[in-house]
Amino acid sequence: MDQELYDEFGNYIGPELDSDEEDEDAEEDKNREDAMAEYAGEDDDDDMDADEADDAAEMQVVLHEDKKYYPTAEEVYGPEVETIVQEEDTQPLTEPIIAPVKKKKFTMAEQDLPDTVYNMEFLADLMDSPDLIRNITLCGHLHHGKTSFVDCLMLQTHPEMQVNDEKDLRYSDILFTEQERGVSIKSTPITLVLPDTRNKSYLVNMFDTPGHVNFSDEVTAAFRLSDGAVIFVDAAEGVMLNTERLIKHAVQERLPITVCINKVDRLILELKLPPTDAYYKLRHILEEINSLISVYSEEDEGQVISPVLGNVCFASSYFRFCFTLGSFAKIYSDTYGGINEKEFARRLWGDIYFNGATRKFTKKPQTGSAQRSFVEFILEPLYKIFAQVVGDVDDCLPRVCDELGIALTKEERKLNIRPLMRLVWQRFFGDFTGFVDMIVEHIKSPMTNAQTKIEHMYTGPSDSDLAELMAQCDPEGPLMIHTTKLYPTQDATSFHVFGRVISGTLHSNQEVRILGENYSLQDEEDSRFGQVGRLWVSEARYKVEVNRVPAGNWILIEGIDQPIVKTSTITDVSSNEEVYIFRPLKFNTNSVIKIAVEPVNPSELPKMLDGLRKVNKSYPLLNTKVEESGEHIILGTGELYLDCVMHDLRKMYSEIDIKVADPVVSFCETVVETSSLKCFAETPNKRNKLTMIAEPLEKGLAEDIENEVVQITWPRKRLGEFFQTKYDWDLLAARSIWAFGPDATGPNILVDDTLPSEVDKSLLGAVKDSIVQGFQWATREGPLCDEPIRNVKFKILDAVIAQEPIHRGGGQIIPTARRVAYSAFLMATPRMMEPYYFVEVMAPADCVSAVYTVLARRRGHVTQDAPVPGSPLYTIKAFIPAIDSFGFETDLRTHTLGQAFCLSVFHHWQIVPGDPLDKSIIIRPLEPQPATHLAREFMIKSRRRKGLSEDVSINKFFDDPMLLELAKQDVMQNYPM
């Protein structure tokens, strides 16, 4: 061992030793590095630095979590690309990773314009001549054949329309929900060109309206745009609940009424009445209609409805025929010649008999068996044709058809009875010319009716230049459009606005000014500027685009739905005149049923609010509001109505899950006696003092105010005379009515009963507005449970008002006036009022007792039951509290095995039995209360629902001096302190 190579401990300290392999590796590395260096042409110094840096990085301690096995997304895709890393697959397997685009479609629509028997250019040209236009509403009771009548007109004008003989076409029920439920929900406008008997064409704009009483708001919207109404009556059922209401409504809206007695075939095929009885039945229906018109008409001579005058037509939508006396007389004159149609038609109704021997008409029957002319010339031929077609088809039919001049092919003769019958009738009567004659003759054109229409619906003065120009229906005049309906687009994202051009001409893409219902010259906040998009003529399942619309026409407008809620007035942008709005719709029923809604998932609240905004636009009578407790309330007319609203809200407009609370009704508060003592209240600054008492109003007065029989805007003298003559008020009280509340048509009155000798009238006049505001605030939400006050007269007996204006500002007076109204109200035996429904039930005779039982269980009482003349059914009329009417229909059907059918509609307010402030009543949960406890129960539960304290605390409304006064008079037993 070489001593110099090792140290004293035996460690090797000599020159480095390389193994052979290492040598080779090292050499290769060296060569490779040299080659790389040459290739890159880099300096050696740089190499040195890089090596050192690499060494440093390798030397660092790298923690486990910082180790990098893969390049980051940014390195792979570049810095510009957004990458999302999802740790765990949270999407369920049932959902596609990329969802397909869903086509939302809620209405039926034609793909392209169908063929019509007239040219679309001709239709557009007719729009320029207002005297050839008729705007009508087809209305009537549920299932009296309005929609199928429209189908007949559609089939007459659209020759290539496919129709299934088994199922009704129901062309104007465009919503899928309407098709599924089998009932119209929305009123649908349709414009057709129809010929009359002289083959002259008219442009007829029709509204097909729902017949269910819950949707009578749709009829109101249609009436507003129409110049006349055609009321449909089922020949077998006769005048029903809604027929009566619609006649009253049409008379109030000043529309001429014509009648179509539909389903004439039922008298023959279903009720199997002999011809004379059928005549009596038809006459009975017309007598009933005439008596209703005379009851509701304010003028002495109301309209008269009679086939002789030509304002009645007879039809069967099922077999597709329609005739008036005139059109039937024309068939006779075409067949035999030489007959004076008009004179002949005049003799076809009433007690007129034809004498075959003398060939003359007489008023007296020649023999005992002589038939009236209507029976002989109209009903008997109908009966005979029905009998021949239903009877022995192979033998009789060819002979009958030859006689009538009806040509049938071999294939057509082999058809089933119903389709065959339709063919025969269609070829016998031809087009619905009699119907067109009727509306042309008895319903005025937009030109001639403009004056009446403007007087009825324009809020501005009727002698202004603008009103006079509108009354001329001039297409060159200033633009004025009244819109009453909004129709959702096919995917329900936005709306098209439907209205009537009152004057001027609307062009597509025109700039317009849209005035809402709250617009007035004093408060111009509710006005917006907008640009009209495209314009269409509506045809239910398709639309015809036009580029301008002159006065007198109906039109569907795109692009201006944003600011409009219910109705609106649209004018020129540049109009310098003072424009007033058209008055908001006045409905013939109230929304009294309430439901509270909230989204199942709270984060979807904004979606629900947007949906609520949209359904509010879509239904004219719907009311949505937010209670103080934060719950969202929807008010509607009935169960079916709210069911449709909720369907639209969930499926069409918000597409989210929504929870609905049990339905309740809106209540009212009232008093039944005069206040037991004068109530006073001082303002917070102790400078003013008001004294008031409350007492009930006279019977019928509240309804008069609501129906605008009397208006607060009348001059003092006229107002005074009304109250003196009709309600026996003394002159002083009648002349000193200050206001109605909670609004101009509210059923409460504020009377100034102070004497000039005791009170400074000029000071009182200075704070009149503030006191009225306080009174209206009080009546809008009463002290019992924040519901409106009704049927109460508040009298101001005394007032001490500060001299300096600064001490009698609104902030002092308004809350004090409200407080004194509340205390006067609580001292006058307050009571709750609930809405009552009027129910009409149709049932066979053996089910009548079951109907009574069901009504009795729900606090209902029957007012009348009577057989329907000429049919096996009974009509039962009854009243039932709205709060007990939920599920009534289902209940009724189960008890009568589905044979009874009912319709209910809001009728009046009635006092709930019991004292709401009676502390001795204990409300136990989940127990039905006896009748006398109901008022207390309703009040407490309403207060709970609204998040108010359990009981009415009297301290809130009474001042200390007032409480001392009460304690003295010992009226405190009942009230919680």
Side-chain angles (χ1 to χ4, degrees):
M1 193 170 76
D2 199 342
Q3 290 289 329
E4 289 158 4
L5 294 179
Y6 297 92
D7 65 4
E8 64 215 84
F9 303 112
N11 294 325
Y12 178 72
I13 52 170
E16 277 189 23
L17 298 173
D18 289 335
S19 70
D20 299 346
E21 293 155 9
E22 274 180 355
D23 282 350
E24 288 163 12
D25 281 356
E27 248 172 20
E28 274 177 19
D29 283 353
K30 179 112 179 77
N31 294 343
R32 197 181 299 131
E33 274 173 14
D34 289 350
M36 289 286 279
E38 282 168 20
Y39 176 70
E42 285 173 348
D43 294 347
D44 289 346
D45 304 351
D46 290 356
D47 261 9
M48 292 289 288
D49 295 351
D51 285 354
E52 280 168 14
D54 281 355
D55 287 351
E58 279 171 19
M59 295 297 284
Q60 274 175 1
V61 177
V62 181
L63 292 174
H64 167 68
E65 56 265 28
D66 291 340
K67 279 189 181 162
K68 191 168 152 196
Y69 297 107
Y70 303 107
T72 61
E74 195 176 329
E75 288 166 8
V76 177
Y77 298 112
E80 293 301 308
V81 181
E82 182 190 357
T83 55
I84 299 168
V85 178
Q86 206 164 3
E87 296 298 323
E88 182 186 335
D89 192 4
T90 51
Q91 196 166 8
L93 283 174
T94 49
E95 265 181 53
I97 294 175
I98 295 172
V101 178
K102 251 202 346 213
K103 280 287 283 178
K104 294 205 308 183
K105 188 171 171 230
F106 299 103
T107 57
M108 305 184 133
E110 304 265 0
Q111 292 313 308
D112 29 47
L113 288 184
D115 286 338
T116 46
V117 291
Y118 46 83
N119 223 334
M120 282 304 170
E121 282 75 29
F122 179 55
L123 183 145
D125 289 344
L126 275 176
M127 294 169 76
D128 282 323
S129 34
D131 47 331
L132 296 179
I133 299 172
R134 292 295 182 275
N135 299 325
I136 60 170
T137 295
L138 309 180
C139 58
H141 189 74
L142 183 64
H143 295 324
H144 279 195
K146 301 169 291 296
T147 305
S148 38
F149 189 85
V150 174
D151 289 346
C152 299
L153 295 173
M154 291 305 288
L155 290 163
Q156 174 186 319
T157 49
H158 297 64
E160 292 184 4
M161 199 171 276
Q162 296 299 315
V163 61
N164 174 0
D165 275 324
E166 295 311 307
K167 238 174 56 202
D168 287 336
L169 176 64
R170 303 205 356 249
Y171 194 81
S172 53
D173 284 354
I174 50 175
L175 294 173
F176 292 142
T177 46
E178 292 181 317
Q179 291 286 342
E180 286 157 17
R181 286 178 188 273
V183 53
S184 302
I185 294 170
K186 296 264 172 251
S187 47
T188 314
I190 289 184
T191 300
L192 297 172
V193 176
L194 299 172
D196 68 355
T197 37
R198 299 199 315 279
N199 230 348
K200 180 176 178 180
S201 291
Y202 287 88
L203 183 70
V204 181
N205 296 320
M206 306 178 272
F207 251 120
D208 174 33
T209 58
H212 198 289
V213 275
N214 276 5
F215 300 109
S216 61
D217 54 345
E218 296 283 337
V219 184
T220 307
F223 274 172
R224 174 57 66 85
L225 300 181
S226 305
D227 294 312
V230 182
I231 293 190
F232 280 72
V233 186
D234 182 332
E237 288 186 4
V239 174
M240 300 282 290
L241 168 72
N242 210 19
T243 321
E244 199 173 315
R245 294 176 65 81
L246 289 169
I247 290 173
K248 180 179 182 180
H249 198 34
V251 168
Q252 282 171 348
E253 290 288 320
R254 302 198 201 163
L255 294 179
I257 294 172
T258 55
V259 173
C260 173
I261 297 186
N262 203 356
K263 304 194 185 184
V264 180
D265 57 285
R266 287 184 69 183
L267 299 177
I268 306 173
L269 300 177
E270 212 176 287
L271 298 179
K272 300 188 173 61
L273 296 177
T276 316
D277 289 6
Y279 166 77
Y280 287 136
K281 174 89 175 145
L282 295 171
R283 195 177 68 179
H284 175 75
I285 290 173
L286 292 172
E287 281 168 0
E288 221 173 327
I289 292 173
N290 278 320
S291 70
L292 286 170
I293 293 177
S294 64
V295 167
Y296 296 131
S297 295
E298 285 165 13
E299 296 85 40
D300 297 333
E301 65 289 334
Q303 274 181 280
V304 179
I305 298 290
S306 161
V308 178
L309 298 174
N311 51 15
V312 177
C313 72
F314 303 92
S316 161
S317 312
Y318 188 84
F319 290 114
R320 307 208 180 111
F321 68 82
C322 168
F323 65 89
T324 55
L325 298 187
S327 70
F328 216 103
K330 189 171 187 307
I331 295 176
Y332 274 106
S333 86
D334 290 350
T335 314
Y336 297 111
I339 297 176
N340 181 342
E341 293 164 34
K342 276 197 173 159
E343 290 303 311
F344 183 42
R346 266 189 41 228
R347 292 172 170 76
L348 284 180
W349 182 261
D351 297 332
I352 292 180
Y353 302 85
F354 180 64
N355 185 340
T358 59
R359 304 196 64 71
K360 285 197 174 120
F361 287 95
T362 57
K363 291 274 175 78
K364 291 193 175 68
Q366 297 315 104
T367 61
S369 61
Q371 303 274 26
R372 285 179 175 79
S373 57
F374 182 77
V375 177
E376 186 174 345
F377 290 103
I378 294 182
L379 286 181
E380 286 201 343
L382 286 186
Y383 273 75
K384 283 175 183 164
I385 298 176
F386 267 118
Q388 302 278 18
V389 180
V390 174
D392 196 350
V393 182
D394 303 329
D395 297 352
C396 319
L397 191 63
R399 203 176 69 242
V400 174
C401 288
D402 287 346
E403 275 183 39
L404 298 174
I406 296 172
L408 291 178
T409 63
K410 284 225 169 66
E411 282 72 42
E412 287 171 344
R413 281 185 194 164
K414 289 179 186 153
L415 285 172
N416 282 343
I417 294 290
R418 284 186 165 160
L420 179 64
M421 191 94 88
R422 274 179 183 171
L423 267 179
V424 172
W425 284 124
Q426 230 164 341
R427 293 187 187 165
F428 178 65
F429 281 114
D431 288 348
F432 281 23
T433 52
F435 172 73
V436 183
D437 277 346
M438 176 178 84
I439 56 177
V440 167
E441 200 177 325
H442 292 277
I443 291 173
K444 292 179 180 173
S445 69
M447 193 83 158
T448 42
N449 197 37
Q451 183 70 47
T452 326
K453 208 76 190 149
I454 300 304
E455 284 170 12
H456 184 62
M457 67 185 192
Y458 187 54
T459 53
S462 52
D463 52 359
S464 65
D465 295 347
L466 182 60
E468 280 163 13
L469 284 166
M470 285 196 289
Q472 290 163 12
C473 189
D474 180 15
E476 304 299 318
L479 178 70
M480 286 295 276
I481 303 173
H482 183 32
T483 74
T484 62
K485 283 280 298 156
L486 294 115
Y487 292 100
T489 50
Q490 225 183 333
D491 56 357
T493 46
S494 64
F495 289 87
H496 294 151
V497 183
F498 189 79
R500 170 170 169 171
V501 185
I502 306 290
S503 85
T505 302
L506 178 68
H507 295 267
S508 51
N509 303 320
Q510 182 178 343
E511 289 285 336
V512 291
R513 181 160 165 240
I514 304 152
L515 313 177
E517 291 191 354
N518 299 325
Y519 173 87
S520 64
L521 293 177
Q522 293 77 37
D523 174 16
E524 300 198 350
E525 190 186 348
D526 197 1
S527 84
R528 296 275 182 287
F529 292 100
Q531 187 182 15
V532 169
R534 291 171 292 175
L535 303 173
W536 295 284
V537 175
S538 164
E539 303 278 6
R541 296 191 191 176
Y542 66 96
K543 304 194 285 281
V544 183
E545 192 172 337
V546 288
N547 50 18
R548 65 180 184 83
V549 183
N553 288 287
W554 289 353
I555 192 63
L556 202 55
I557 311 170
E558 177 187 52
I560 53 168
D561 59 313
Q562 216 46 50
I564 301 175
V565 185
K566 304 281 190 195
T567 67
S568 73
T569 305
I570 297 172
T571 73
D572 279 325
V573 174
S574 55
S575 63
N576 313 325
E577 283 210 50
E578 291 190 339
V579 177
Y580 290 81
I581 59 168
F582 295 107
R583 68 179 80 244
L585 296 178
K586 190 164 173 299
F587 299 107
N588 64 350
T589 179
N590 284 3
S591 290
V592 289
I593 293 192
K594 275 189 198 180
I595 48 177
V597 290
E598 61 171 309
V600 171
N601 178 357
S603 63
E604 288 175 328
L605 184 65
K607 276 189 190 171
M608 187 185 85
L609 293 182
D610 182 49
L612 282 174
R613 233 167 274 129
K614 285 179 175 163
V615 283
N616 198 17
K617 289 182 174 206
S618 176
Y619 289 84
L621 238 186
L622 192 71
N623 226 328
T624 54
K625 61 177 189 189
V626 185
E627 290 283 9
E628 302 221 341
S629 58
E631 59 178 358
H632 293 271
I633 297 284
I634 299 179
L635 285 147
T637 54
E639 286 182 79
L640 178 67
Y641 191 87
L642 285 170
D643 196 34
C644 295
V645 170
M646 287 313 298
H647 169 276
D648 288 3
L649 185 56
R650 288 184 173 127
K651 300 276 194 305
M652 282 170 76
Y653 298 123
S654 62
E655 292 191 273
I656 55 174
D657 289 338
I658 292 177
K659 283 193 288 198
V660 179
D662 285 339
V664 282
V665 298
S666 35
F667 292 105
C668 277
E669 306 176 12
T670 188
V671 300
V672 289
E673 291 169 15
T674 307
S675 302
S676 52
L677 69 160
K678 296 179 185 175
C679 299
F680 59 85
E682 290 178 341
T683 50
N685 63 8
K686 302 279 187 273
R687 303 290 178 98
N688 310 284
K689 177 174 156 187
L690 293 174
T691 309
M692 252 190 214
I693 60 166
E695 56 183 57
L697 283 179
E698 287 80 358
K699 192 174 174 7
L701 180 48
E703 285 71 23
D704 274 355
I705 299 175
E706 283 183 320
N707 298 331
E708 296 184 14
V709 177
V710 53
Q711 294 173 13
I712 193 72
T713 48
W714 287 357
R716 275 276 181 89
K717 194 167 177 210
R718 182 178 172 193
L719 202 62
E721 278 170 6
F722 175 86
F723 279 95
Q724 272 176 283
T725 52
K726 193 161 177 194
Y727 290 106
D728 277 350
W729 285 32
D730 59 50
L731 179 68
L732 185 65
R735 287 283 171 91
S736 52
I737 292 174
W738 267 13
F740 297 159
D743 47 42
T745 59
N748 303 287
I749 301 183
L750 177 63
V751 181
D752 167 23
D753 219 10
T754 55
L755 297 171
S757 54
E758 297 167 4
V759 173
D760 185 343
K761 285 284 190 176
S762 61
L763 283 179
L764 189 58
V767 293
K768 173 176 172 178
D769 284 348
S770 298
I771 296 179
V772 167
Q773 262 180 307
F775 153 76
Q776 292 187 327
W777 182 13
T779 51
R780 188 170 298 117
E781 34 195 56
L784 296 181
C785 53
D786 263 4
E787 296 283 353
I789 291 179
R790 184 183 174 80
N791 212 28
V792 181
K793 170 164 64 178
F794 290 95
K795 284 185 180 172
I796 306 172
L797 299 183
D798 186 24
V800 180
I801 307 294
Q803 293 286 342
E804 307 80 23
I806 192 165
H807 293 316
R808 51 167 200 250
Q812 297 285 340
I813 304 287
I814 296 175
T816 307
R818 170 178 178 238
R819 219 172 53 236
V820 71
Y822 278 169
S823 49
F825 179 90
L826 287 171
M827 288 287 98
T829 324
R831 289 283 183 266
M832 299 278 292
M833 292 184 96
E834 60 179 342
Y836 257 69
Y837 271 174
F838 174 72
V839 189
E840 186 176 75
V841 185
M842 293 279 286
D846 54 344
C847 293
V848 175
S849 59
V851 177
Y852 272 80
T853 324
V854 177
L855 276 164
R857 281 226 306 270
R858 293 171 174 266
R859 294 197 294 140
H861 58 271
V862 177
T863 55
Q864 179 195 359
D865 72 341
V868 179
S871 85
L873 296 175
Y874 263 74
T875 309
I876 296 131
K877 296 181 176 172
F879 288 124
I880 184 172
I883 198 159
D884 287 319
S885 72
F886 303 123
F888 169 69
E889 201 170 333
T890 321
D891 213 8
L892 190 66
R893 291 215 179 117
T894 34
H895 279 260
T896 57
L897 307 178
Q899 296 179 84
F901 178 71
C902 75
L903 282 172
S904 49
V905 59
F906 170 78
H907 189 268
H908 65 275
W909 293 92
Q910 193 162 313
I911 293 179
V912 184
D915 179 2
L917 297 176
D918 182 359
K919 298 287 286 183
S920 62
I921 296 174
I922 295 159
I923 306 286
R924 295 196 176 79
L926 299 179
E927 276 184 25
Q929 307 300 323
T932 49
H933 295 187
L934 282 173
R936 177 85 177 156
E937 180 188 26
F938 290 162
M939 185 191 83
I940 285 186
K941 289 185 176 171
S942 294
R943 290 182 72 86
R944 273 184 206 152
R945 205 181 63 248
K946 294 182 178 183
L948 306 168
S949 60
E950 191 92 327
D951 225 318
V952 186
S953 111
I954 210 165
N955 279 359
K956 218 162 86 186
F957 309 124
F958 290 131
D959 299 357
D960 293 341
M962 179 77 196
L963 285 169
L964 290 171
E965 182 77 22
L966 287 174
K968 272 188 216 154
Q969 305 215 6
D970 200 28
V971 270
M972 295 300 296
Q973 307 92 3
N974 252 353
Y975 295 92
M977 289 305 285

